[in-house]
Amino acid sequence: MKTVQISLNSIDKVKSFVNAITQFEYDFDLISGRYVIDAKSIMGIFSLDLSKPIDLAIHAEDEMDKIMDVLAPYLV
């Protein structure tokens, strides 16, 4: 598992982020304070405070390079 910080400060960014990570079969969790949300859930993401960076926990063993390339536009 790896944790990175991402920024999803617009509706378009949220949509493209969810579309980008749904191509992977791994689990992704967004962590904001005491809340842990499935990162593939658009409704869940909008329940978070998107004005500041959010921690993204990536539960993957392989393909990490490919995942990080896809996440590059969202990394803080």
Side-chain angles (χ1 to χ4, degrees):
M1 185 178 92
K2 179 176 182 158
T3 303
V4 295
Q5 278 205 323
I6 61 169
S7 175
L8 298 173
N9 53 8
S10 73
I11 294 171
D12 291 334
K13 260 189 156 179
V14 171
K15 287 184 200 173
S16 63
F17 169 77
V18 172
N19 287 335
I21 66 168
T22 51
Q23 67 182 323
F24 299 105
E25 292 183 14
Y26 306 108
D27 289 330
F28 296 83
D29 292 326
L30 287 171
I31 304 158
S32 179
R34 60 189 179 112
Y35 298 103
V36 179
I37 303 292
D38 179 1
K40 294 180 181 179
S41 166
I42 289 179
M43 293 301 289
I45 293 172
F46 283 123
S47 72
L48 300 174
D49 178 7
L50 300 177
S51 65
K52 52 191 172 202
I54 304 169
D55 290 332
L56 174 68
I58 306 163
H59 302 279
E61 299 301 319
D62 46 343
E63 289 191 278
M64 194 57 78
D65 291 338
K66 186 176 178 185
I67 292 170
M68 293 309 291
D69 287 344
V70 168
L71 292 177
Y74 313 100
L75 296 176
V76 176

